[in-house]
Amino acid sequence: MKKTFFIAGGDLRQIYAAEKLSEFFSVCITGFDKNISIPDTLRSEESIPLCAAPSDYLLLPTPVSSDDVMLNAPFSQNGISISKLVSTVKKDGIVFGGKISKNVKKIFTAEGIEVIDYLDREEFSVLNAVPTAEGAIQLALEEMPATIYGSKILITGFGRISKILVKLLTAMGADVTVAARKYSDLAWAEIFGCKSISISRIEEHGEKYDIVYNTVPSVILGKSFLEKLNTDCLMIDLASRPGGIDFKAASELGIKVVWALGLPGKSAPVTSGRIIADTIKNILAERGAI
Amino acid sequence: MKKTFFIAGGDLRQIYAAEKLSEFFSVCITGFDKNISIPDTLRSEESIPLCAAPSDYLLLPTPVSSDDVMLNAPFSQNGISISKLVSTVKKDGIVFGGKISKNVKKIFTAEGIEVIDYLDREEFSVLNAVPTAEGAIQLALEEMPATIYGSKILITGFGRISKILVKLLTAMGADVTVAARKYSDLAWAEIFGCKSISISRIEEHGEKYDIVYNTVPSVILGKSFLEKLNTDCLMIDLASRPGGIDFKAASELGIKVVWALGLPGKSAPVTSGRIIADTIKNILAERGAI
Amino acid sequence: MKKTFFIAGGDLRQIYAAEKLSEFFSVCITGFDKNISIPDTLRSEESIPLCAAPSDYLLLPTPVSSDDVMLNAPFSQNGISISKLVSTVKKDGIVFGGKISKNVKKIFTAEGIEVIDYLDREEFSVLNAVPTAEGAIQLALEEMPATIYGSKILITGFGRISKILVKLLTAMGADVTVAARKYSDLAWAEIFGCKSISISRIEEHGEKYDIVYNTVPSVILGKSFLEKLNTDCLMIDLASRPGGIDFKAASELGIKVVWALGLPGKSAPVTSGRIIADTIKNILAERGAI
Amino acid sequence: MKKTFFIAGGDLRQIYAAEKLSEFFSVCITGFDKNISIPDTLRSEESIPLCAAPSDYLLLPTPVSSDDVMLNAPFSQNGISISKLVSTVKKDGIVFGGKISKNVKKIFTAEGIEVIDYLDREEFSVLNAVPTAEGAIQLALEEMPATIYGSKILITGFGRISKILVKLLTAMGADVTVAARKYSDLAWAEIFGCKSISISRIEEHGEKYDIVYNTVPSVILGKSFLEKLNTDCLMIDLASRPGGIDFKAASELGIKVVWALGLPGKSAPVTSGRIIADTIKNILAERGAI
């Protein structure tokens, strides 16, 4: 008999995760009673009534909650209280979710239920960098009056997102420079077809870029750097708070900055949902549970 | 002394062509007195008054005119009559333009002035396929709720645009199939990392695609093909009239079709304008004029 | 019942063509009685006795003959006379071969038998450019004391072989310049990640290249060009007679030139044989024969 | 005044390192008095007599020595004793070398001289993976009777060399599968255009590969895996001792194995030498010494 997976709250990603998990599990989904168009393939899943018995697994969204009390469930009419979810999962079951706070975690572990944050999985972050990079390309295509082909692009940092951006942008014929700290990252950037500069010397750097992508989550692109850019340079900040660009200085200089957060969920919810499902399958496979 | 280039009418592309030509010629531009924001670099050009003496060269837009009388000049307040432009160019000068009708051509040749349609230049079409392909990628990124990475894509035809689409989409990690007529094109498609099928057997083909790009300007994707697709397949028609998709059948089947014409001008006017300028420079270089 | 294919003479390529054709036809092979090691999979084919009845099709090698009398059959002990082969194929059969001379052709057509030279097929030339390009890469790897990554490479001409070389060398991280005549080819070369120069100005070109690949079959790289190269530049001529390099001048200047002819047969006989078989299958498919 | 660099022993790589370092330092080289052809550009360096005064820096080869007494100096007529080199470098100088044993290190540190093994630098290993990967491609091109295009290739491990091999082989049109342990590495392999399998299940894997590259330095490809391969599969082991292939079993099964060690020095000594020089420059730049 198939194990059961209860899926609660979240946005479109959660629906697509449910769709993918339904290949392996008997899936039951809740929190989508407000006006939302759901893909055909899941319509049947939706009609499943709330599982009578507790499930083997429970999937919560990213982030699980903003106040540690109510579930993040924008498509639920009446809202879902997290404490009510405890009884929907077996004592030896597992709760999965993203950005789970200590308090929320305690609600389940107090009952002996294991809690796993899939954001801690490296393969999740790797796979999620693909929709982020594609979303970053889309932004450039939408905002630039010129082609990416032939444009001069600076990317700061050389983590997961940068590596995929480098792959896409060099294939599109851009002239890409990577600014990074470690010599080995500079070496990799060159091997993958870019120029490279030390991030410590970025302010000395007088190149005129058409696009600057930042992936470093600390303000490294300050006024003296921004002043060297053309005012029609497009800046796209992909880093989480506080971002890497001195927004105030950019604004004063008339340079357009797009701060792009949460791209995977926005630009490719299908893929993002599938990545959540794949990561959970990996976790369960490691434990011999599937 | 620099030769003179008079530039009349058209849209943003014309302005960027002017900007690029101004590196080689003394440029004078007209037809942009209606509300339009012009890049800083050209502001000075704009302020140049109508050239007193006839120019060596005249650049008209694409298309030159819709009625063979008035110039295509959407940013001109009062409109520009083509016949008035004859006197702005020297008798031994050259008029450049795109999609020049026989009647318009005659207006100039009757005065002994040579007329060249830059759309007839192969390198123009090759270079212009780049913004078209990038625009086609942008459409997919905007319309698809999944990533291009991992998606199944069909491209019909293997001309200039298809070749560049293949380059971009395979680099993005799509699973691309090319449908073409000639065995040699099928061979090229495979060499460039695609699967290939004969276009004559496309209707037998049961694959489930996420995106179908058509580049063939005759209706080859009829009802029996469309019925095999998932309804969430995205169809993007890049071919000129009449397009390659049976729009009526697609609509009845609930399949989304985007007919994308004139992408270069819309998505990358800077690049499109520069391509016009580069093509004109090639023509003049061949004649030893620059 | 399967149609019959008689395969006579040639080298390893002929054996691999036989192997591939045996998937569709009842194959009989002759001309390999001299010491030669044949892959396991064909051993059974080899033991087939000379077909008693005339075959539907006859496959001759490339080139078919050097004297229009004896078949090119280097692995045959006693040699095979072409005139003797006429009776091995049906009157309404087809003879396939490469570089078939008028005289040889007449030997068969005089009996009403159709003769097709597969070298005339565009897809054959396209597919064959792959083993040629890989062989050209192998030569560079063997002869150069440095990596292709980071090296400066010039490619003259932009035909089939050049296009594939460009794909491979840019992916390997070389800095590639293409010299071609047509503006549209220069545009394609740039789109595929190269620099481009007009072949007419190649002699003015002072760049210091690590490798020069020539694909143009007329001497375009003369003394004044060669004098600009470093003496440790490696020149690889992939063009057929007379090649594109002034060999005498190169020798006087101490520049190493490798004239690489017939690479597909030498470096990848398996692939070359399969390409012959695939081309024949295309020809027969077009006629509805398979 | 330029700092001085004394370079002792080693093979061609050492000469090319000297050549590159001579751009920044006053270079003096020794240990090449036996028959060896040296590139023109260094001939002048060679004629420099043994530095009278101690140098700022001393460069030893990789490995520095096999017996902790005599320097690894295959091109030296009479051999060079390591203890004699102590006086060639200043007390506050630095000795660089590769695979420096504790005993050799002590010879210098006993005199207060700092010793740095450049093999410990991550960027050195990254850059050196390029000539290794190119050498691995060359081996496949030389040993295979078919093209890399269209061949099925397995790569075990996903370290530096594998990542570059993946880049090259996918660009060449191979069908590449990566076997790795970590889910995140499998994700990266897929993102870079490969299939992926868990290395723990490799023995279950029945695919028929044309080439298997191993990069894992422990025997993971045992008899039960080898038995599933075709006998014409080419195995290339790039891992250091003990390699990853059960050589005895492969030999019994008639499968060809090439154990390729020290590829950078063999296939691209120019590049390898430059990488040594670049790494040393990075080390000195970090310390503000250049």
Side-chain angles (χ1 to χ4, degrees):
Chain A
M1 220 188 83
K2 274 184 177 176
K3 295 207 171 178
T4 52
F5 222 118
F6 189 52
I7 285 148
D11 55 20
L12 274 175
R13 283 175 286 180
Q14 198 82 334
I15 292 172
Y16 292 110
E19 191 172 37
K20 188 95 196 248
L21 289 169
S22 71
E23 296 169 13
F24 284 72
F25 302 98
S26 175
V27 163
C28 170
I29 190 165
T30 194
F32 292 90
D33 44 13
K34 226 156 78 180
N35 199 22
I36 178 167
S37 101
I38 285 179
D40 290 7
T41 47
L42 254 198
R43 211 161 276 164
S44 57
E45 302 302 335
E46 261 211 316
S47 65
I48 293 174
L50 258 170
C51 312
S55 304
D56 294 292
Y57 308 114
L58 168 63
L59 177 61
L60 304 179
T62 299
V64 167
S65 173
S66 58
D67 61 4
D68 294 356
V69 176
M70 294 302 286
L71 187 69
N72 165 19
F75 295 101
S76 164
Q77 200 84 27
N78 304 311
I80 298 171
S81 145
I82 294 172
S83 60
K84 275 198 181 165
L85 288 168
V86 176
S87 61
T88 69
V89 59
K90 292 182 185 168
K91 295 291 175 205
D92 61 346
I94 306 175
V95 176
F96 297 95
K99 280 196 200 161
I100 313 176
S101 72
K102 275 186 187 173
N103 289 336
V104 167
K105 202 171 171 182
K106 244 184 247 164
I107 296 173
F108 293 96
T109 53
E111 301 295 317
I113 301 168
E114 187 176 358
V115 176
I116 297 176
D117 195 323
Y118 54 70
L119 294 193
D120 294 341
R121 297 281 298 196
E122 177 65 12
E123 84 267 32
F124 177 85
S125 302
V126 170
L127 292 168
N128 232 20
V130 173
T132 301
E134 287 197 10
I137 297 287
Q138 181 184 333
L139 278 170
L141 289 170
E142 287 169 351
E143 300 288 341
M144 283 246 298
T147 50
I148 285 178
Y149 172 78
S151 62
K152 285 184 74 71
I153 300 179
L154 176 69
I155 300 175
T156 63
F158 199 61
R160 293 174 292 252
I161 295 167
S162 293
K163 284 188 179 80
I164 298 175
L165 268 179
V166 159
K167 181 174 182 288
L168 300 183
L169 293 169
T170 54
M172 295 179 88
D175 175 5
V176 182
T177 300
V178 169
R181 214 166 289 279
K182 293 196 285 180
Y183 283 109
S184 54
D185 280 345
L186 301 180
W188 276 119
E190 301 239 347
I191 290 169
F192 279 89
C194 302
K195 293 166 189 159
S196 73
I197 55 171
S198 171
I199 220 166
S200 62
R201 295 184 170 183
I202 203 166
E203 304 253 333
E204 304 163 23
H205 214 68
E207 298 274 341
K208 296 299 176 189
Y209 296 106
D210 299 301
I211 307 177
V212 174
Y213 284 108
N214 175 64
T215 72
V216 178
S218 76
V219 183
I220 57 167
L221 301 174
K223 198 174 178 184
S224 62
F225 171 80
L226 297 171
E227 282 172 343
K228 296 204 180 80
L229 297 176
N230 283 325
T231 54
D232 58 0
C233 176
L234 171 67
M235 302 194 80
I236 298 177
D237 201 333
L238 300 165
S240 50
R241 220 159 286 283
I245 300 164
D246 182 336
F247 294 115
K248 194 163 155 286
S251 160
E252 284 165 13
L253 290 162
I255 293 172
K256 177 158 198 176
V257 179
V258 181
W259 196 4
L261 292 175
L263 281 181
K266 285 176 201 158
S267 68
V270 172
T271 306
S272 297
R274 286 180 191 158
I275 291 170
I276 293 169
D278 284 341
T279 304
I280 289 170
K281 288 197 296 182
N282 289 346
I283 294 168
L284 294 175
E286 273 179 3
R287 296 158 169 248
I290 54 170
Chain B
M1 219 188 85
K2 272 184 181 180
K3 295 207 171 178
T4 52
F5 223 118
F6 189 50
I7 285 150
D11 54 21
L12 274 175
R13 284 175 286 180
Q14 200 80 334
I15 293 173
Y16 292 110
E19 191 172 36
K20 188 96 197 248
L21 288 169
S22 71
E23 296 169 13
F24 283 72
F25 303 97
S26 175
V27 163
C28 170
I29 189 164
T30 195
F32 293 89
D33 44 13
K34 226 155 79 180
N35 198 23
I36 179 167
S37 101
I38 284 179
D40 289 7
T41 48
L42 255 198
R43 211 161 277 164
S44 57
E45 303 301 336
E46 261 209 315
S47 64
I48 294 173
L50 260 170
C51 314
S55 305
D56 295 291
Y57 308 114
L58 167 64
L59 177 61
L60 306 179
T62 300
V64 169
S65 172
S66 58
D67 61 3
D68 294 356
V69 176
M70 294 302 286
L71 188 70
N72 165 18
F75 295 102
S76 165
Q77 200 86 25
N78 303 311
I80 298 171
S81 145
I82 294 172
S83 60
K84 276 198 180 164
L85 289 168
V86 175
S87 62
T88 68
V89 59
K90 293 181 183 166
K91 295 290 176 205
D92 61 347
I94 306 176
V95 176
F96 298 95
K99 281 196 199 160
I100 312 176
S101 71
K102 276 186 186 174
N103 288 335
V104 167
K105 204 172 171 181
K106 244 183 251 165
I107 296 173
F108 294 97
T109 53
E111 302 294 319
I113 300 167
E114 187 176 359
V115 176
I116 296 177
D117 194 323
Y118 53 69
L119 295 192
D120 294 340
R121 296 282 297 195
E122 176 65 12
E123 85 266 30
F124 176 84
S125 302
V126 170
L127 293 168
N128 231 19
V130 173
T132 301
E134 287 197 9
I137 297 287
Q138 181 184 333
L139 277 171
L141 290 170
E142 288 169 350
E143 299 289 340
M144 283 246 298
T147 50
I148 285 178
Y149 172 77
S151 62
K152 285 183 75 70
I153 300 179
L154 176 68
I155 301 174
T156 63
F158 199 62
R160 294 174 290 253
I161 295 168
S162 294
K163 284 189 180 79
I164 299 175
L165 267 179
V166 158
K167 181 173 181 288
L168 301 183
L169 293 170
T170 54
M172 294 180 89
D175 175 5
V176 182
T177 301
V178 169
R181 215 167 289 279
K182 292 196 284 179
Y183 282 109
S184 54
D185 280 345
L186 301 181
W188 276 119
E190 301 239 349
I191 289 169
F192 279 89
C194 302
K195 293 165 189 159
S196 72
I197 56 172
S198 171
I199 220 166
S200 61
R201 296 186 170 179
I202 203 167
E203 303 253 333
E204 305 163 21
H205 216 66
E207 299 273 343
K208 297 299 176 190
Y209 296 106
D210 298 303
I211 307 177
V212 174
Y213 284 107
N214 175 63
T215 72
V216 179
S218 75
V219 183
I220 57 166
L221 300 174
K223 199 176 178 185
S224 62
F225 171 79
L226 298 171
E227 282 172 344
K228 296 205 180 81
L229 297 176
N230 284 325
T231 54
D232 58 0
C233 175
L234 172 67
M235 301 193 82
I236 298 176
D237 201 335
L238 301 165
S240 51
R241 224 159 283 283
I245 300 165
D246 182 337
F247 294 116
K248 194 162 154 286
S251 161
E252 283 165 14
L253 290 162
I255 294 170
K256 178 159 198 175
V257 179
V258 181
W259 197 4
L261 292 176
L263 283 179
K266 285 175 200 160
S267 68
V270 173
T271 307
S272 297
R274 286 179 191 159
I275 291 170
I276 292 168
D278 285 340
T279 304
I280 288 169
K281 287 196 296 181
N282 289 346
I283 293 168
L284 295 175
E286 273 179 4
R287 296 157 169 250
I290 56 172
Chain C
M1 221 189 85
K2 273 183 178 176
K3 295 207 172 176
T4 53
F5 222 118
F6 189 52
I7 285 148
D11 55 21
L12 274 175
R13 283 175 285 178
Q14 199 81 334
I15 292 172
Y16 292 109
E19 191 172 36
K20 189 97 195 248
L21 289 169
S22 70
E23 297 169 12
F24 284 73
F25 302 98
S26 174
V27 163
C28 170
I29 189 165
T30 194
F32 292 89
D33 44 13
K34 225 155 81 181
N35 199 24
I36 179 167
S37 100
I38 284 179
D40 291 7
T41 48
L42 255 198
R43 213 160 276 166
S44 57
E45 302 302 335
E46 262 211 315
S47 64
I48 293 174
L50 258 171
C51 313
S55 306
D56 294 292
Y57 308 114
L58 168 64
L59 177 61
L60 305 179
T62 299
V64 168
S65 173
S66 58
D67 62 3
D68 294 356
V69 176
M70 294 302 287
L71 188 69
N72 165 18
F75 295 101
S76 164
Q77 200 84 27
N78 303 311
I80 298 171
S81 145
I82 295 172
S83 59
K84 276 199 183 165
L85 288 168
V86 176
S87 61
T88 68
V89 59
K90 292 182 184 167
K91 295 290 174 204
D92 61 347
I94 306 175
V95 176
F96 298 95
K99 281 197 200 158
I100 312 176
S101 72
K102 276 187 186 172
N103 289 335
V104 167
K105 203 171 172 182
K106 245 183 248 165
I107 296 172
F108 294 95
T109 53
E111 301 295 317
I113 301 168
E114 187 176 359
V115 176
I116 296 175
D117 195 322
Y118 54 69
L119 294 192
D120 294 341
R121 297 281 299 195
E122 177 66 11
E123 84 266 31
F124 177 84
S125 302
V126 170
L127 293 168
N128 232 18
V130 174
T132 300
E134 287 197 9
I137 297 287
Q138 181 184 333
L139 277 170
L141 290 170
E142 287 169 350
E143 299 289 339
M144 283 244 299
T147 51
I148 286 178
Y149 172 77
S151 62
K152 286 184 73 70
I153 300 179
L154 175 68
I155 301 175
T156 63
F158 199 60
R160 292 174 292 252
I161 294 167
S162 293
K163 284 188 179 82
I164 299 175
L165 267 180
V166 159
K167 181 173 181 288
L168 301 184
L169 293 169
T170 54
M172 295 179 88
D175 175 3
V176 183
T177 300
V178 168
R181 214 166 289 279
K182 293 195 285 178
Y183 283 109
S184 53
D185 280 344
L186 301 180
W188 276 118
E190 301 237 349
I191 290 170
F192 280 89
C194 302
K195 294 166 189 158
S196 72
I197 56 171
S198 171
I199 220 166
S200 62
R201 295 186 170 180
I202 203 167
E203 303 254 331
E204 304 163 22
H205 216 67
E207 298 274 341
K208 296 299 177 189
Y209 296 106
D210 299 302
I211 308 177
V212 174
Y213 284 108
N214 175 64
T215 71
V216 178
S218 75
V219 182
I220 57 168
L221 301 174
K223 198 175 178 185
S224 62
F225 172 80
L226 297 171
E227 283 172 343
K228 297 203 179 82
L229 298 176
N230 283 325
T231 54
D232 58 0
C233 175
L234 172 66
M235 302 195 81
I236 298 177
D237 201 333
L238 300 165
S240 50
R241 223 157 282 283
I245 300 164
D246 182 336
F247 295 115
K248 194 164 155 282
S251 160
E252 284 165 13
L253 290 162
I255 294 171
K256 178 158 197 176
V257 180
V258 181
W259 196 3
L261 292 176
L263 282 180
K266 284 176 201 157
S267 69
V270 172
T271 306
S272 297
R274 287 179 190 158
I275 291 169
I276 293 169
D278 285 341
T279 304
I280 289 169
K281 287 197 294 181
N282 288 347
I283 294 168
L284 294 176
E286 273 179 5
R287 297 158 169 247
I290 54 170
Chain D
M1 221 190 83
K2 273 185 180 178
K3 294 207 171 176
T4 52
F5 223 117
F6 188 51
I7 285 150
D11 55 21
L12 275 175
R13 283 174 287 179
Q14 199 80 335
I15 293 172
Y16 293 109
E19 191 173 35
K20 188 95 197 250
L21 288 168
S22 70
E23 297 169 12
F24 284 72
F25 302 98
S26 174
V27 163
C28 169
I29 189 165
T30 194
F32 292 89
D33 45 13
K34 226 154 79 180
N35 198 23
I36 180 168
S37 101
I38 285 178
D40 289 7
T41 48
L42 254 197
R43 212 161 278 166
S44 57
E45 302 301 336
E46 261 209 316
S47 64
I48 294 172
L50 260 169
C51 313
S55 307
D56 294 291
Y57 308 114
L58 168 63
L59 177 61
L60 305 179
T62 300
V64 169
S65 173
S66 58
D67 62 3
D68 293 356
V69 177
M70 295 303 286
L71 188 68
N72 165 18
F75 295 101
S76 165
Q77 200 84 27
N78 304 310
I80 299 170
S81 143
I82 294 172
S83 59
K84 277 198 180 163
L85 290 167
V86 176
S87 62
T88 69
V89 58
K90 292 182 184 168
K91 294 291 175 205
D92 61 348
I94 306 176
V95 176
F96 298 95
K99 282 196 199 158
I100 312 176
S101 72
K102 277 187 184 170
N103 289 335
V104 167
K105 202 171 172 183
K106 244 183 250 166
I107 296 172
F108 293 95
T109 54
E111 302 295 318
I113 301 167
E114 187 176 359
V115 176
I116 295 177
D117 194 323
Y118 54 69
L119 295 193
D120 294 340
R121 296 283 296 196
E122 176 65 11
E123 84 267 32
F124 176 84
S125 302
V126 169
L127 293 168
N128 232 18
V130 173
T132 301
E134 287 198 9
I137 297 287
Q138 181 184 332
L139 277 171
L141 290 170
E142 287 169 351
E143 300 288 340
M144 283 245 297
T147 50
I148 285 178
Y149 171 77
S151 62
K152 285 183 75 69
I153 299 180
L154 176 69
I155 300 174
T156 63
F158 199 61
R160 295 174 290 252
I161 295 168
S162 293
K163 283 188 180 81
I164 299 174
L165 267 180
V166 158
K167 181 173 181 290
L168 301 184
L169 292 170
T170 54
M172 294 180 89
D175 174 5
V176 182
T177 301
V178 168
R181 215 167 288 279
K182 293 196 284 178
Y183 283 109
S184 54
D185 281 344
L186 301 181
W188 277 119
E190 301 238 349
I191 289 169
F192 279 89
C194 302
K195 293 166 189 157
S196 72
I197 56 172
S198 170
I199 220 166
S200 61
R201 295 185 171 182
I202 203 167
E203 302 254 331
E204 304 163 22
H205 215 66
E207 299 272 344
K208 297 299 177 189
Y209 296 106
D210 299 304
I211 307 177
V212 174
Y213 284 107
N214 176 65
T215 72
V216 178
S218 75
V219 183
I220 57 166
L221 300 174
K223 199 176 179 183
S224 62
F225 172 80
L226 297 171
E227 282 172 344
K228 295 203 181 83
L229 298 176
N230 283 325
T231 54
D232 58 0
C233 175
L234 172 66
M235 302 194 82
I236 298 176
D237 202 334
L238 300 165
S240 51
R241 224 157 281 284
I245 299 166
D246 181 337
F247 294 116
K248 196 165 155 283
S251 161
E252 283 165 14
L253 289 163
I255 294 171
K256 178 159 198 176
V257 180
V258 181
W259 197 3
L261 292 175
L263 283 180
K266 286 175 201 159
S267 69
V270 173
T271 307
S272 297
R274 287 179 191 158
I275 291 169
I276 292 168
D278 285 340
T279 304
I280 289 168
K281 288 196 295 181
N282 289 347
I283 294 168
L284 295 174
E286 273 179 3
R287 297 159 168 248
I290 55 170

